[in-house]
Amino acid sequence: MTARARLITSPQFLLGALCLIGLPRFAAAQITDPFNTLNPAWVVNRYAPAGFQVVSFQGDNRLSITIDPSGSAANRPFTSSSSFYNIQGEERAGNVTGRWSLSAQVYVASSFNTTTGTLMDIDLWSHTGTTPGGGDYAIFGFTNSSPTDFLNPAAADRAFHFEAYDGNTGHWFNLGVPSGFAFDAWHQLTTVSTGTAFNYYIDGQLYLTNPTSAGYDLLSVMIQGYNFGATAGSYSVLWDNVTTTPIPEPAGSAVVGALAVSVLVVRRRRGNAARSST
């Protein structure tokens, strides 16, 4: 056996290989968007909102999305007149393979906390799955519309609340409002995909875990608002620091993989040594 073969099959080498392979594996790509300028990676999804641009607010640049009656069904081209295009915003690639986390800051204005004023609905969307035409959507945001009569501005149960979408049943979860929640302030929305579930966090606190069968690979990220129609008012929402992050695979999987590779190295080296001696 050569010196190199002895090194590769030695316990010290196998232990080193095990340690290296046992480290968490991260996907190579992710995005961090502080909106210093509007990245051209953002493109229209469904229908263009009235505004999607960088503005200065509180001494920093932020993203502002504006939904306006000018984009209502009555004012859109015939080919875009269906309610599908009432959801208006832009998207960009998520760039994460495997399990993922999506986080963004959003400014929640006190003007949204109304039961009689302008209807508004804003959400941070995640399209996840292994194929662009399939997968699942994790949707997380807030609205002041009625949970039972969404389009009715005079609904008796109108109230500001956070919401998340259940792709399995097609309905929305009313997450309410965190205790002591402050308006006219920035808040962090985070969606974490474990592969089999979406976890939704508001300012670091878990509010909902919802099962999914397509939790791997973050294909795209969207910021979308709902256009309530020609008679509704206009509203704008500020966003900042949209970040996608790969989540390491469980340590157990990495250790199993490391053991398999280590055994394979030993077998190959022993086989080569046996062939060279014949």
Side-chain angles (χ1 to χ4, degrees), residues 1-9 269 273 276:
M1 182 181 297
T2 66
R4 179 175 295 180
R6 284 195 296 270
L7 173 62
I8 293 177
T9 58
R269 291 299 174 180
S276 64

Side-chain angles (χ1 to χ4, degrees), residues 49-76:
F52 198 92
Q53 67 273 328
V54 170
V55 300
S56 178
F57 179 74
Q58 294 182 341
D60 198 1
N61 285 351
R62 326 283 188 171
L63 172 72
S64 174
I65 177 173
T66 299
I67 305 298
D68 186 83
S70 61
S72 66
N75 297 315
R76 296 196 299 261

Side-chain angles (χ1 to χ4, degrees), residues 7 9 25 33 35 43 50 102 106 108 117 146-147 152 179 190 206 211 232 241 246 256 265 272-273:
L7 173 62
T9 58
R25 293 191 330 194
D33 198 335
F35 296 107
V43 295
L102 168 65
V106 61
V108 185
S146 160
N152 183 4
S179 177
T190 303
L206 179 64
N241 298 318
V256 170
V265 168
N272 291 339

Side-chain angles (χ1 to χ4, degrees), residues 105-121:
Q105 292 176 297
V106 61
Y107 189 81
V108 185
S110 57
S111 59
F112 301 152
N113 186 24
T114 176
T115 59
T116 59
T118 300
L119 282 169
M120 64 82 55
D121 183 280

Side-chain angles (χ1 to χ4, degrees), residues 22 24 99 248-257:
R99 301 182 304 150
E249 66 180 34
S253 300
V255 169
V256 170

